[in-house]
Amino acid sequence: MIIILFGLLISFITVILLLILCTRIIISLIKKKPFPKGLLIATLSGVVLVSSIYVYETYFFTFSDIDRESTQKGPGPITSPTGAYTANAYYELYGGAAGGVNVWVDITNNNEKNKVQTVYYSDAKSNISMEWLDEDTLYILNDDPNYPNSNRSIELEIGKEIYHENGLACKSLLMKDQYETCYQN
């Protein structure tokens, strides 16, 4: 979150520097004044910094950015038919009073020293539940019947598939080894 706020601040400053640079270039052309090299370097540095933050946020995403300290417990725990996996859902509040709620599902592998993997992350809708369809397939219902385009429900094969609503996990270079198929909205 801090990186995003820092990126927004740098973006704002860079846009202002770009406007000043354009004005100075026009003035230097009209009045035959020297080219504003320092301002050009400062503006280009801002562009490079903002681009670097974008690349980092997009291609180096992990679920560790979830605010796990101010969460609420969601549906679960539900254990798979043979007891190999346990699914837990959690809610993450964002945006204060005018914000919303995200939901994520963690799968605990009870056979591998309680290894936990996040397999689902989305905006929470009014109707959320989970059900094991078989030992390795979890059905996550995340829907609001009043809004037809709000359905974020999915069947996931544990250990092979994950879902991230806006696709950050699908683009992440750090997470490519954790799944075979990544779904996004």
Side-chain angles (χ1 to χ4, degrees):
M1 184 66 173
I2 293 173
I3 292 175
I4 293 172
L5 292 176
F6 179 69
L8 289 173
L9 176 65
I10 297 298
S11 297
F12 179 72
I13 292 170
T14 302
V15 168
I16 291 173
L17 286 174
L18 183 62
L19 293 173
I20 294 170
L21 176 65
C22 290
T23 306
R24 291 269 181 96
I25 288 173
I26 292 170
I27 290 171
S28 72
L29 291 174
I30 293 172
K31 294 188 175 185
K32 306 283 187 205
K33 289 191 173 189
F35 186 79
K37 293 176 188 172
L39 191 55
L40 176 64
I41 291 170
T43 304
L44 290 177
S45 298
V47 169
V48 167
L49 191 57
V50 169
S51 299
S52 298
I53 291 170
Y54 171 76
V55 167
Y56 174 77
E57 287 291 320
T58 301
Y59 297 106
F60 295 94
F61 172 83
T62 63
F63 286 113
S64 63
D65 292 339
I66 296 173
D67 182 11
R68 296 179 190 268
E69 294 196 14
S70 60
T71 61
Q72 297 176 357
K73 190 80 172 89
I78 61 167
T79 305
S80 64
T82 64
Y85 301 108
T86 303
N88 283 292
Y90 302 93
Y91 298 118
E92 172 190 38
L93 304 173
Y94 67 87
V101 178
N102 289 323
V103 62
W104 81 88
V105 176
D106 282 345
I107 301 295
T108 304
N109 186 333
N110 300 323
N111 297 330
E112 290 185 24
K113 297 182 183 178
N114 295 327
K115 176 184 166 192
V116 177
Q117 179 187 18
T118 302
V119 296
Y120 182 90
Y121 188 84
S122 178
D123 190 41
K125 307 303 177 191
S126 64
N127 190 13
I128 298 173
S129 65
M130 299 181 297
E131 173 187 5
W132 288 99
L133 301 179
D134 61 35
E135 180 55 32
D136 297 320
T137 308
L138 179 66
Y139 177 71
I140 301 166
L141 173 72
N142 185 12
D143 190 18
D144 188 340
N146 297 324
Y147 298 95
N149 294 330
S150 72
N151 191 351
R152 302 294 184 269
S153 304
I154 193 166
E155 288 181 20
L156 294 173
E157 187 175 349
I158 304 306
K160 294 184 179 182
E161 300 175 328
I162 65 171
Y163 175 88
H164 191 278
E165 182 172 2
N166 61 16
L168 286 177
C170 302
K171 296 175 189 172
S172 175
L173 299 174
L174 298 177
M175 294 188 65
K176 290 287 184 195
D177 297 341
Q178 297 180 16
Y179 59 84
E180 291 177 17
T181 307
C182 182
Y183 300 102
Q184 67 186 56
N185 189 20

